[in-house]
């Protein structure tokens, strides 16, 4: 997820776009664009567009010369319709918006030539025409010319910042079970005294819905604060956090931010006025110990400037007692798996596009719900894969899932496994491979069993797995998600095969 996506023609790389990109970043925004990584696949760019809150379309005489830009435009307008994404049109090179809207003038000539060269069919032409007409009619639009570019860039940054501040985050098409978990968090926040700044960690395994819950919480309560900031996907922007997050957040608190030299520890803070603002800060998608320690350190630096009633939320799949105690995390909220009724409803939305499932599929639905084991990521992936298929196709796909997990779920869960050190990962493979025997066993018994097998660091390794949401204990009995068991067994067999060779 990013704040802003810039769609601009790759061929001309106008200086205006570069200056705009820098200005948005200097305002503390996370910005992506097709020109920043020209070799990125269409699929990845499509995901970046879906994950952005605002898209800026920089039209120029040569924008229509790129079929990739036209595909991006189509995706942006689709997200505007389906996800309520904000869109900001900019027209360079004295381009008349009416030429874009009507496919007239030189812009229209270039577009038609591009479509002919790429053998685009009539349906695509109609789609692009509709997208161009709708995008060029959006107000306000910006028309920078020689001599006024700096002022126009300032206006765009101000407009985008205003849009971000007034627009809710996209949560989910079907936020099943989200509200009850949001209410749990609101209760935790209300239980803390208002004279200090609580830090609450939303913790759980990958795919459990942590970010969805955090965004819903942000939408529901952030307007009760003087200053609010949702920092998306911190893994992608950790290098910038010492500067851009500090600048955007602290400037709103009446604090000047000065960069001395370009490194992580080079930001100096000076209080310009009495700071008593009530701040709501959410930092999303912390995926490793190093990220966690870096972020908690930064949070410690800036929390002293927050006024009474401020709240910091950290969304993470990793907990570690040492850095958490140093920064005084007040509560760790573990996101639990969905219950049966929630599972059926979310699966039904994905598979049947309605809240209640088809009764004739009830047996297979129960099998799919059991396979997903309360994980929203898996429920939506399996439901989408089964959508619009007949019963025989359902049976075949569900049978294949026992041997080949869906790639989306596999990749995300594998990243969690890969995030731990090799020795711990290897022990996890063993636990997963023997899960039919070990699940439900007492923690101390498992540690003793592993020690007898030669793993003398078993208690520490188990704690690391627990901290990374790969296992958990219920009344000191081992638990592991069904999909993690499956993936861990497969990885164990792959590694054993490699070692034997």
């Amino acid at each position: 997820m990013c704040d802003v996506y810039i769609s601009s023609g790759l061929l001309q790389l106008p200086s205006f776009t570069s200056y705009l990109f820098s200005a948005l970043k200097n305002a503390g925004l996370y910005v992506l664009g097709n020109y920043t990584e020209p070799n990125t696949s269409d699929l990845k760019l499509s995901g970046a567009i879906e994950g952005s809150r605002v898209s800026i379309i920089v039209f120029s005489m040569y924008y229509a010369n790129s079929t990739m830009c036209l595909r991006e435009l189509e995706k942006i307008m689709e997200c505007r319709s389906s996800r309520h994404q904000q869109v900001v049109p900019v027209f360079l090179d004295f381009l008349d918006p009416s030429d874009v809207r009507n496919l007239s003038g030189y812009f229209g000539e270039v577009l038609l030539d591009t479509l002919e060269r790429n053998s685009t069919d009539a349906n695509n032409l109609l789609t692009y025409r509709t997208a161009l007409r709708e995008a060029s009619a959006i107000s306000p639009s910006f028309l920078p010319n020689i001599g006024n570019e700096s002022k126009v860039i300032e206006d765009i940054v101000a407009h985008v910042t205003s849009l971000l501040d007034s627009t809710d985050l996209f949560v989910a098409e079907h936020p099943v079970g989200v509200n009850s978990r949001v209410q749990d968090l609101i209760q935790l926040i209300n239980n803390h005294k208002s004279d200090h700044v609580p830090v609450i960690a939303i913790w759980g395994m990958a795919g459990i819905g942590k970010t969805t819950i955090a965004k819903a919480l942000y939408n529901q309560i952030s307007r009760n604060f003087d200053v609010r900031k949702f920092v998306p996907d911190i893994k992608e922007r950790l290098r910038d956090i010492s500067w851009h997050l500090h600048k955007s957040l602290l400037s709103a608190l009446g604090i000047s931010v000065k960069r001395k030299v370009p490194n992580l520890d080079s930001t100096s803070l000076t209080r310009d006025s009495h700071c008593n603002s009530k701040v709501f800060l959410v930092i999303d998608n912390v995926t490793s110990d190093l990220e966690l320690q870096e972020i908690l350190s930064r949070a410690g630096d800036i929390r002293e400037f927050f006024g009474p009633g401020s709240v910091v939320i950290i969304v993470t799949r990793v907990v570690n007692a040492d850095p958490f105690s140093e920064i005084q995390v007040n509560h760790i909220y573990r996101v639990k798996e969905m219950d049966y009724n929630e599972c059926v409803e979310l699966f039904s939305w994905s598979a049947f596009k309605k809240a209640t499932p088809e009764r004739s599929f009830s047996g297979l639905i129960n099998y799919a719900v059991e396979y997903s084991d309360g994980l929203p990521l898996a429920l939506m992936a399996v439901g989408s894969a089964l959508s619009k298929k007949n019963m025989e196709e359902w049976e075949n796909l569900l049978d294949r899932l026992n041997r080949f997990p869906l790639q989306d779920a596999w990749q995300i869960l594998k990243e969690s496994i890969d995030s731990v050190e090799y020795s711990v990962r290897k022990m996890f493979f063993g636990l997963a491979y023997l899960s039919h025997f070990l699940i439900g066993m007492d923690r101390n018994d498992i540690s003793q069993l592993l020690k007898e097998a030669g793993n003398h660091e078993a208690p520490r390794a188990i704690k690391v797995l627990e901290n990374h949401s790969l296992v958990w204990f219920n009344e000191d009995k081992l638990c592991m998600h069904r999909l993690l068991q499956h993936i861990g067994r497969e990885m164990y067999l792959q590694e054993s095969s490699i070692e034997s060779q």
Side-chain angles (χ1 to χ4, degrees):
M1 178 178 153
C2 66
D3 294 316
V4 182
Y5 185 88
I6 301 178
S7 177
S8 174
L10 288 169
L11 295 178
Q12 79 278 16
L13 284 177
S15 58
F16 175 86
T17 306
S18 300
Y19 294 145
L20 176 60
F21 181 86
S22 297
L24 291 164
K25 288 196 73 175
N26 287 335
L29 304 181
Y30 183 30
V31 189
L32 293 176
N34 55 16
Y35 70 97
T36 59
E37 296 187 41
N39 296 320
T40 303
S41 67
D42 275 11
L43 184 61
K44 189 170 182 180
L45 288 176
S46 178
I49 291 169
E50 283 188 358
S52 64
R53 298 176 62 193
V54 175
S55 282
I56 299 176
I57 306 170
V58 183
F59 290 114
S60 70
M61 288 296 187
Y62 299 99
Y63 187 89
N65 200 39
S66 167
T67 54
M68 188 188 77
C69 285
L70 293 172
R71 291 194 298 273
E72 281 190 357
L73 174 67
E74 179 186 357
K75 184 65 179 180
I76 287 168
M77 298 311 291
E78 176 191 317
C79 289
R80 181 175 186 254
S81 174
S82 63
R83 304 169 75 94
H84 308 294
Q85 186 182 105
Q86 299 294 323
V87 178
V88 178
V90 178
F91 300 90
L92 294 186
D93 304 331
F94 300 96
L95 179 61
D96 189 332
S98 65
D99 285 345
V100 177
R101 186 159 49 252
N102 301 320
L103 302 189
S104 58
Y106 184 57
F107 185 90
E109 292 176 15
V110 173
L111 176 67
L112 293 173
D113 181 63
T114 300
L115 297 179
E116 286 178 8
R117 281 188 286 108
N118 292 275
S119 302
T120 304
D121 62 32
N123 288 333
N124 279 345
L125 176 59
L126 178 61
T127 300
Y128 295 150
R129 185 188 292 271
T130 301
L132 288 163
R133 184 175 63 250
E134 292 178 354
S136 59
I138 293 172
S139 180
S141 60
F142 297 86
L143 289 79
N145 295 314
I146 297 173
N148 75 340
E149 285 191 353
S150 297
K151 177 64 169 64
V152 171
I153 286 174
E154 287 180 13
D155 292 343
I156 293 173
V157 172
H159 178 58
V160 168
T161 303
S162 174
L163 288 175
L164 290 171
D165 191 52
S166 61
T167 306
D168 280 348
L169 300 172
F170 177 78
V171 175
E173 285 187 51
H174 309 292
V176 178
V178 171
N179 188 58
S180 63
R181 291 155 177 83
V182 168
Q183 295 308 313
D184 290 342
L185 286 162
I186 291 174
Q187 187 64 45
L188 282 176
I189 292 169
N190 291 339
N191 286 342
H192 285 287
K193 297 178 181 178
S194 61
D195 58 352
H196 77 294
V197 182
V199 178
I200 296 173
I202 301 177
W203 172 56
M205 68 180 290
I208 198 68
K210 302 181 296 295
T211 296
T212 301
I213 293 166
K215 289 195 286 189
L217 174 69
Y218 183 88
N219 288 345
Q220 190 158 334
I221 71 171
S222 63
R223 288 185 174 84
N224 299 330
F225 295 78
D226 303 318
V227 179
R228 57 194 184 131
K229 184 73 175 178
F230 188 99
V231 185
D233 205 4
I234 197 66
K235 181 179 181 180
E236 298 296 327
R237 59 190 296 184
L238 193 55
R239 292 179 183 176
D240 290 338
I241 193 171
S242 64
W243 173 241
H244 298 302
L245 172 58
H246 279 58
K247 184 174 182 180
S248 62
L249 187 62
L250 297 179
S251 62
L253 299 173
I255 302 164
S256 67
V257 187
K258 299 177 181 179
R259 197 172 203 172
K260 295 185 278 189
V261 290
N263 62 57
L264 276 176
D265 299 316
S266 62
T267 304
S268 63
L269 308 177
T270 306
R271 191 189 304 263
D272 290 337
S273 59
H274 178 63
C275 174
N276 197 35
S277 295
K278 187 178 174 185
V279 180
F280 186 58
L281 172 62
V282 180
I283 301 175
D284 180 42
N285 197 25
V286 182
T287 59
S288 72
D289 287 327
L290 290 176
E291 290 172 17
L292 181 61
Q293 291 170 17
E294 175 72 15
I295 290 159
L296 291 177
S297 171
R298 298 296 170 195
D301 290 343
I302 62 178
R303 197 163 48 152
E304 63 179 287
F305 296 99
F306 293 2
S310 297
V311 177
V312 177
I313 303 287
I314 296 173
V315 182
T316 181
R317 66 184 185 215
V318 182
V319 294
N320 189 319
D322 294 335
F324 267 26
S325 61
E326 290 171 13
I327 200 65
Q328 296 180 332
V329 169
N330 302 93
H331 194 90
I332 299 173
Y333 176 77
R334 179 180 177 268
V335 181
K336 295 183 179 179
E337 295 75 14
M338 303 180 92
D339 64 30
Y340 176 79
N341 290 330
E342 291 170 337
C343 286
V344 171
E345 183 179 349
L346 182 59
F347 177 82
S348 182
W349 278 117
S350 298
F352 303 107
K353 311 306 178 189
K354 57 183 182 178
T356 54
E358 299 287 346
R359 303 187 79 177
S360 58
F361 286 82
S362 59
L364 294 173
I365 290 168
N366 287 334
Y367 184 88
V369 167
E370 182 182 0
Y371 170 84
S372 302
D373 201 12
L375 190 68
L377 168 71
L379 286 161
M380 291 188 292
V382 175
S384 297
L386 294 170
S387 181
K388 299 180 180 178
K389 289 182 168 54
N390 60 39
M391 191 169 295
E392 182 179 354
E393 291 172 309
W394 273 53
E395 290 172 348
N396 291 335
L397 179 60
L398 291 173
D399 181 61
R400 286 202 306 273
L401 288 179
N402 280 324
R403 291 164 286 144
F404 310 106
L406 287 173
Q407 189 62 31
D408 289 349
W410 172 285
Q411 191 58 42
I412 291 173
L413 294 175
K414 184 178 180 297
E415 286 177 10
S416 293
I417 297 169
D418 289 343
S419 69
V420 299
E421 61 193 271
Y422 177 73
S423 60
V424 176
R425 188 159 68 242
K426 194 167 183 178
M427 196 187 80
F428 171 78
F429 295 158
L431 291 175
Y433 186 72
L434 298 172
S435 58
H436 61 286
F437 172 67
L438 297 175
I439 296 298
M441 185 178 286
D442 185 82
R443 179 197 298 265
N444 292 331
D445 292 340
I446 293 174
S447 295
Q448 185 60 38
L449 191 66
L450 293 169
K451 284 181 182 179
E452 291 174 0
N455 193 330
H456 299 291
E457 290 198 354
R460 183 194 71 85
I462 289 173
K463 189 61 182 175
V464 171
L465 293 174
E466 190 175 5
N467 289 345
H468 282 73
S469 309
L470 294 171
V471 302
W472 72 95
F473 287 86
N474 184 12
E475 296 182 354
D476 242 17
K477 306 297 182 184
L478 178 68
C479 303
M480 185 187 299
H481 192 274
R482 185 185 303 272
L483 286 176
L484 284 173
Q485 294 177 44
H486 189 172
I487 294 169
R489 279 195 298 270
E490 290 297 317
M491 294 175 76
Y492 173 88
L493 293 171
Q494 289 176 15
E495 185 149 313
S496 299
S497 175
I498 292 171
E499 288 178 354
S500 65
Q501 293 174 10

